[in-house]
């Protein structure tokens, strides 16, 4: 893709403008959004993401369009997985519902900034070291194994990092509106609101480590990687309030993501073999028998995996509902 600095500048400016509008119009005044508000804005951002993908296909060709849609689907699924942890963090810190929007907004902005940094680093590594695909592939296979074993067993509000933060910073017992710090007894204290944001920021850092290698397994275009990530994060705040209860029913999402990450990991290893330059692998020559998995297959596989995991989860939890009522 031939992406000029002007296109990059406009894309980043529009992304920032959308987040600023979200803050001014919806987040600045504390309130719990209604289902109608959450549904409308979720549909708006998903529709905008799909229209952008169609635009990529029409302007740059449907190979790049397919890469964008595959990347967007993967990042959206991983972002929904983020919501599980956000839910745990919100519950662990007992964040009042009217302030949850602000926490989510700041957390999503942190996630986008972190992913932007990882995107730049990933692009530089890929440009200069083709062997990095081996590392990305192996890393995703390890992550797939961890996902398959059980999703989110730890409590992010009581991690070693958060215990360290509590030891270093003086924390008030109660919330003081949506303030991050307060002046009390002649000293500055941080509130549980700030602790919640720190916890979500740390979670975002961990999730960025798997989301960026995953999408680089589907496309080597930094512009597609950035826009797919940006659109996946847009509307995540509204989706949190829209499907909060439904999240508890997606019992097979972790396994579905494990399959997707494993598939992309294998795809990366095959691509690494195809462009091999390591001297101890095939004498430093490309491995010609290693196939390149086409993007249409990747898109179909990812979409089908998400659909199967979702349907299987809903069927499983529907079967358990009568038993739980009894």
């Amino acid at each position: 893709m031939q992406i000029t600095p002007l296109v990059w500048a406009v894309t980043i400016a529009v992304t920032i403008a959308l987040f600023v509008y979200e803050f001014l119009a919806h987040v600045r005044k504390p309130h719990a959004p209604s289902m109608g508000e959450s549904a409308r804005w979720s549909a708006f951002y998903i529709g905008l993401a799909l229209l952008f993908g169609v635009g990529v296909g029409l302007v740059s060709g449907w190979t790049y369009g397919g890469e964008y849609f595959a990347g967007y689907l993967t990042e959206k699924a991983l972002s929904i997985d983020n919501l599980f942890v956000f839910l745990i963090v919100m519950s662990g810190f007992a964040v009042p519902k009217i302030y949850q929007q602000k926490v989510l907004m700041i957390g999503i902005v942190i996630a986008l900034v972190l992913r932007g940094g990882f995107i730049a680093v990933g692009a530089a590594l890929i440009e200069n070291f083709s062997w990095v695909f081996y590392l990305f592939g192996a890393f995703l296979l390890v992550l797939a194994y961890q996902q398959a074993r059980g999703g989110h067993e730890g409590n992010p509000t009581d991690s070693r990092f958060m215990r360290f933060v509590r030891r270093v910073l003086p924390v008030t017992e109660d919330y003081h509106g949506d303030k991050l710090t307060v002046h009390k007894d002649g000293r500055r204290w941080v509130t549980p609101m700030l602790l919640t944001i720190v916890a979500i920021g740390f979670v975002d850092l961990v999730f960025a480590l798997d989301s960026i290698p995953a999408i680089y397994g589907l496309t080597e275009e930094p512009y597609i990687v950035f826009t797919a990530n940006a659109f996946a994060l847009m509307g995540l705040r509204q989706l949190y309030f829209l499907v909060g209860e439904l999240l508890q029913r997606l019992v097979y999402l972790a396994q579905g993501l494990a399959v997707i990450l494993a598939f992309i990991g294998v795809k990366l290893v095959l691509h690494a073999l195809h462009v091999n330059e390591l001297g101890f692998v095939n004498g430093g020559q490309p491995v010609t028998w290693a196939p390149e998995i086409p993007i249409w297959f990747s898109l179909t596989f990812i979409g089908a995996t998400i659909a199967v995991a979702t349907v299987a989860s809903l069927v499983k939890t529907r079967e358990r509902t009568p038993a739980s009522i009894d």
Side-chain angles (χ1 to χ4, degrees):
M1 294 180 72
Q2 299 298 320
I3 304 299
T4 65
L6 177 61
V7 172
W8 269 109
V10 170
T11 302
I12 293 172
V14 171
T15 302
I16 293 173
L18 285 170
F19 279 110
V20 170
Y21 172 79
E22 282 240 322
F23 178 79
L24 294 177
H26 303 290
V27 178
R28 183 171 57 174
K29 182 179 179 181
H31 73 285
S34 66
M35 290 292 287
E37 177 187 337
S38 298
R40 286 192 299 273
W41 282 101
S42 293
F44 169 77
Y45 281 117
I46 291 172
L48 194 62
L50 296 178
L51 282 175
F52 183 84
V54 172
V56 171
L58 293 174
V59 173
S60 300
W62 286 104
T63 296
Y64 291 123
E67 290 178 0
Y68 167 81
F69 281 117
Y72 173 72
L73 271 178
T74 301
E75 294 301 321
K76 197 67 175 178
L78 288 169
S79 295
I80 291 173
D81 198 38
N82 278 30
L83 292 183
F84 278 105
V85 185
F86 288 175
L87 194 62
I88 294 171
V89 171
M90 296 289 192
S91 300
F93 285 108
V95 181
K97 197 164 186 179
I98 61 171
Y99 303 134
Q100 290 183 4
Q101 283 206 100
K102 184 174 182 178
V103 174
L104 287 168
M105 185 71 183
I106 295 174
I108 289 167
V109 170
I110 292 172
L112 187 58
V113 171
L114 289 173
R115 293 186 189 195
F118 281 116
I119 288 167
V121 171
L125 288 173
I126 289 170
E127 181 72 23
N128 294 284
F129 308 105
S130 63
W131 50 262
V132 77
F133 289 112
Y134 286 113
L135 295 182
F136 283 178
F139 182 60
L140 288 180
L141 289 172
V142 171
L143 289 174
Y145 174 73
Q146 292 175 345
Q147 277 278 358
R149 287 188 61 189
H152 314 293
E153 296 177 357
N155 184 355
T157 66
D158 194 38
S159 64
R160 289 183 181 178
F161 175 72
M162 290 311 299
R163 289 198 295 269
F164 170 76
V165 171
R166 285 190 179 94
R167 285 197 302 269
V168 172
L169 299 176
V171 185
T172 62
E173 291 291 331
D174 302 315
Y175 284 86
H176 294 262
D178 60 351
K179 292 180 180 179
L180 303 182
T181 65
V182 293
H183 197 265
K184 180 181 173 184
D185 299 329
R187 64 183 299 193
R188 180 65 60 178
W189 294 70
V190 303
T191 67
M193 189 80 168
L194 180 59
L195 276 191
T196 306
I197 291 171
V198 170
I200 285 184
F202 183 71
V203 167
D204 285 332
L205 175 62
V206 173
F207 273 96
L209 290 173
D210 61 8
S211 68
I212 299 308
I215 194 170
Y216 268 123
L218 300 167
T219 179
E220 295 180 34
E221 296 292 335
Y223 185 76
I224 292 178
V225 174
F226 175 79
T227 52
N229 268 277
F231 278 115
L233 291 172
M234 288 178 189
L236 196 61
R237 175 180 60 83
Q238 293 88 344
L239 200 62
Y240 173 87
F241 293 100
L242 184 64
V243 300
E245 294 183 5
L246 180 61
L247 286 175
Q248 304 299 327
R249 296 186 60 188
L250 298 179
V251 293
Y252 293 130
L253 180 61
Q255 287 74 19
L257 287 173
V259 171
I260 291 172
L261 291 175
F263 168 76
I264 298 175
V266 171
K267 185 177 186 297
L268 277 168
V269 172
L270 290 174
H271 179 70
L273 290 170
H274 194 75
V275 298
N276 177 64
E277 294 177 347
L278 291 178
F280 58 85
V281 177
N282 198 37
Q285 298 300 312
V287 179
T288 55
W289 57 261
E292 287 276 21
I293 299 175
I295 194 60
W296 66 264
F297 183 85
S298 298
L299 180 57
T300 303
F301 183 89
I302 292 167
T305 302
I306 293 172
V308 169
T310 302
V311 172
S313 295
L314 296 178
V315 170
K316 179 70 173 179
T317 52
R318 186 178 63 184
E319 289 175 352
R320 284 199 294 197
T321 300
S324 63
I325 293 174
D326 294 339

